[in-house]
Amino acid sequence: MSLATETSTTITTGDIPPLAPATRADRPWIVAVAVVAALAVAPLAAILAISTLNISGETGATWAHLLSTVLPGTALTTVLLMVGVGLVTAVVGTVAAWIVAMCRFPGRGVFEWALLLPLAIPTYIVAYVHVELLDFTGPVQGAIRAVFGFKSARDYWFPDIRSLPSAIFVMSSVLYPYVYIPARAMFGLQSATTLEVARTLGAGPWRVFFRVALPLARPALVVGVTLVLMETLNDIGAVEYLGVKTLTFSIYDTWLNRGSLGGAAQLATVMLVIVFALITAERHARRHQRFHGASTKVRAATGYKLGGRMAALAFLACLTPVLIGFVVPAGMLADYTSRRLDTFLDPTVQRAALDSFLLAVAAALVTVAAGLVVAYAMRVSRTRVVAALARFASVGYAVPGTVLALGILVPLSGIDNLIDRTAKLLTGHGTGLVLIASGAGLVYAYFSRFLAAAFGSIESGLARVSVHLDMAARTLGRSGGRVLTEIHMPLIRPVLVSAGILVFVDAMKELPATLLLKPFNFETLATFVYAQASREAVADGAPAALLIVLVGLVPLVTLSRIGRGREARLSGRRTRARDTT
């Protein structure tokens, strides 16, 4: 999850100088950011090298075979899945955001944060619960048979649970908050003057929404939908369980089951093309973001007060996605867990929980440290080179975990083999796969994938610290490093902690890269749940799945508190303004 989706807020940084050509004094920062960017981009370079330079020893016939067999079907399925999830999340997220931001009805305050709850549940866990609930042996079909007296599945019609529409439903129920968050922020920031002018010209609520508010919020909606599409492309646990063969699944299948590294790399290259097309579209949509430029002088709209049937409809429209995306799956996991409390005493689960925690902590520390280096370099060295390198370093978040794993494993295996051969040459004893067996590959994958989230949070935190503090400290003889450790780090400590929490939670939930890079006989909570679901024993994995959900609630609580703090400050400013007038 990226909290960087609240991009609609314009931060005034008028005291930060514009970008300029690099000088000799900027070299240390350029080198530091270049190292971070090289580490983040190296997996992508490895993918391109494998797919184009025939490093795996496979001939060009592999590409022709993929084009004629695997690629057309998987590409079409992937596009249909992305279109379906994108449309449903756009509608659900936008409608929920508009109702919460602009309407006043009983329960609105609860729905403001409750609509975020589905983000705490990974898509693969919702898919497992979805099948458990709606499968032939599940409680829903069982109830239908009991009520109508049906004896078998041939006596009645029921939608196919393991299908593309089912995958669209499952993923949309979890991913719509990516649209809801920026849309709600944008609707809340729209000037009351703009909306009131439309009302005075005779526009009703529907016309104000479709002709004024929705066009103004379009860039924020595109940002949210783009994040949804990237998460859809990244997923492997849900689509595999629901029998939907997407490009991500085909990479996994081509590499591990068919043993074709070159073919997997070529499919990954196709995915990269899609990802960068999405990034380009998202940036194109944000070109006019300043058109909405909100400032603290904007007067928030008063909204519509609903009553009777309209209030009930608004309540139901907000309650439905929360029930489907969080209450039902979390309730089912809690029910399974209550009957399997002894699972927490299972050494395998305890070891998986400990390994997940240690890996997530290591990933959070490494990623936040790298993000701090890049963000601080951007602050003290306002050069075009550093800005370009920082953009390269952030590209990993858009790359699916399966692709990252493929790009990391090959060079990491090469380094491990080099260490092993060197050790044998010098001591007569080999070292084996040191890096892969230690989980270093996993930490590397988490660092590459989540660096953008940490960097974005830290950069926005540093932007709130005046550069005049830097100047004063430097005139007192402080070096750049001491200014960072003695002034900036204490000032942005909450931002560093929140960035670490974001990376920690994302690492705890991450499945695609973890599946491919985990050492032999090593499990995290995510892979443990995946393994239990793969042998159709979802109930046995419920306690571990519930732990993942509970950990995922941490950033949502933080986000909700931040949102309430902003609203309280805004309310205070409104009160002071009224008192003044």
Side-chain angles (χ1 to χ4, degrees), residues 13 102 117 147-148 159 167 200 224 241 243 256 265 267 330-331 340 369 414 423 430 437 518 525 557:
T13 54
M102 300 303 299
L117 291 177
V147 170
F148 296 101
T200 56
Y241 197 68
L256 295 186
L267 289 173
R340 286 173 171 76
K518 72 183 181 71
L525 287 175
V557 173

Side-chain angles (χ1 to χ4, degrees), residues 500-548:
I501 290 174
L502 280 177
V503 177
F504 175 85
V505 173
D506 279 339
M508 288 284 287
K509 294 192 297 183
E510 211 284 336
L511 180 63
T514 310
L515 269 181
L516 296 173
L517 289 173
K518 72 183 181 71
F520 178 72
N521 203 22
F522 177 92
E523 297 288 352
T524 65
L525 287 175
T527 60
F528 177 81
V529 174
Y530 173 84
Q532 300 304 315
S534 298
R535 63 180 187 88
E536 300 295 335
V538 173
D540 292 340
L546 193 61
L547 283 177
I548 295 174

Side-chain angles (χ1 to χ4, degrees), residues 15 60 83 146 156 188 204 210 261 381 413 528:
D15 53 355
V83 170
Y156 62 98
F210 283 109
L261 177 62
S381 177
S413 301
F528 177 81

Side-chain angles (χ1 to χ4, degrees), residues 44 100 117 124 237 405 418 435 440 454 468 482 484 492 499 507 548 579:
L44 307 186
V100 168
L117 291 177
Y124 52 87
L418 180 63
L435 296 176
H468 298 298
R482 291 188 66 180
L484 174 64
I492 65 167
I548 295 174
D579 293 343

Side-chain angles (χ1 to χ4, degrees), residues 336-358:
Y336 281 154
T337 302
S338 67
R339 287 178 274 160
R340 286 173 171 76
L341 292 176
D342 58 326
T343 305
F344 290 115
L345 302 177
D346 185 343
T348 305
V349 175
Q350 293 178 351
R351 181 62 186 270
L354 178 62
D355 289 339
S356 298
F357 176 79
L358 294 176

Side-chain angles (χ1 to χ4, degrees), residues 22-324:
T23 64
R24 189 170 182 176
D26 296 314
R27 287 180 184 175
W29 296 110
I30 293 174
V31 171
V33 180
V35 170
V36 175
L39 289 172
V41 175
L44 307 186
I47 289 290
L48 295 176
I50 296 169
S51 62
T52 57
L53 302 179
N54 199 22
I55 292 176
S56 62
E58 298 174 62
T59 66
T62 304
W63 183 238
H65 174 72
L66 291 173
L67 279 176
S68 62
T69 57
V70 178
L71 197 55
T74 55
L76 178 62
T77 303
T78 304
V79 169
L80 291 176
L81 179 67
M82 294 172 70
V83 170
V85 175
L87 286 175
V88 175
T89 54
V91 172
V92 174
T94 305
V95 170
W98 174 257
I99 292 174
V100 168
M102 300 303 299
C103 300
R104 304 290 178 265
F105 60 96
R108 170 183 169 273
V110 175
F111 286 124
E112 277 189 337
W113 57 267
L115 283 162
L116 300 173
L117 291 177
L119 278 179
I121 305 185
T123 52
Y124 52 87
I125 291 179
V126 177
Y128 304 155
V129 173
H130 176 76
V131 173
E132 285 288 299
L133 193 66
L134 300 178
D135 201 15
F136 178 76
T137 58
V140 173
Q141 292 203 51
I144 292 175
R145 290 194 298 274
V147 170
F148 296 101
F150 298 136
K151 299 299 181 184
S152 69
R154 291 189 297 274
D155 297 335
Y156 62 98
W157 176 86
F158 199 83
D160 186 4
I161 302 305
R162 298 177 188 267
S163 62
L164 178 62
S166 188
I168 292 173
F169 176 79
V170 165
M171 300 181 80
S172 300
S173 68
V174 180
L175 298 178
Y176 78 84
Y178 283 105
V179 179
Y180 166 75
I181 294 172
R184 190 190 71 176
M186 183 59 81
F187 288 142
L189 288 170
Q190 285 178 0
S191 170
T193 306
T194 306
L195 302 181
E196 285 167 2
V197 166
R199 292 179 198 172
T200 56
L201 292 175
W206 293 104
R207 196 172 182 188
V208 169
F209 173 71
F210 283 109
R211 300 295 298 273
V212 180
L214 197 58
L216 287 175
R218 185 181 59 84
L221 299 181
V222 173
V223 170
V225 172
T226 304
L227 288 172
V228 167
L229 298 183
M230 288 180 181
E231 291 294 327
T232 304
L233 203 57
N234 178 56
D235 181 86
I236 187 172
V239 294
E240 184 190 7
Y241 197 68
L242 296 173
V244 179
K245 295 184 178 179
T246 61
L247 276 171
T248 305
F249 173 78
S250 295
I251 293 172
Y252 182 82
D253 185 56
T254 303
W255 183 14
L256 295 186
N257 297 334
R258 302 184 186 185
S260 175
L261 177 62
Q266 287 163 350
L267 289 173
T269 305
V270 175
M271 284 188 69
L272 286 177
V273 171
I274 296 175
V275 166
F276 285 111
L278 289 174
I279 293 174
T280 304
E282 185 265 344
R283 288 184 178 163
H284 178 79
R286 281 201 298 171
R287 285 180 312 151
H288 304 299
Q289 191 91 353
R290 290 182 182 178
F291 175 69
H292 312 282
S295 71
T296 55
K297 296 180 181 178
V298 170
R299 180 167 58 91
T302 54
Y304 304 95
K305 187 174 182 180
L306 305 181
R309 188 172 58 181
M310 292 305 294
L313 285 176
F315 187 89
L316 189 62
C318 293
L319 178 64
T320 303
V322 179
L323 281 178
I324 296 174

Side-chain angles (χ1 to χ4, degrees), residues 15-16 379 462-471 488 491:
D15 53 355
I16 296 180
R379 181 182 179 88
L462 284 174
R464 290 176 170 82
V465 181
S466 172
V467 293
H468 298 298
L469 286 176
D470 303 49
M471 298 174 187
H488 291 96
L491 287 175

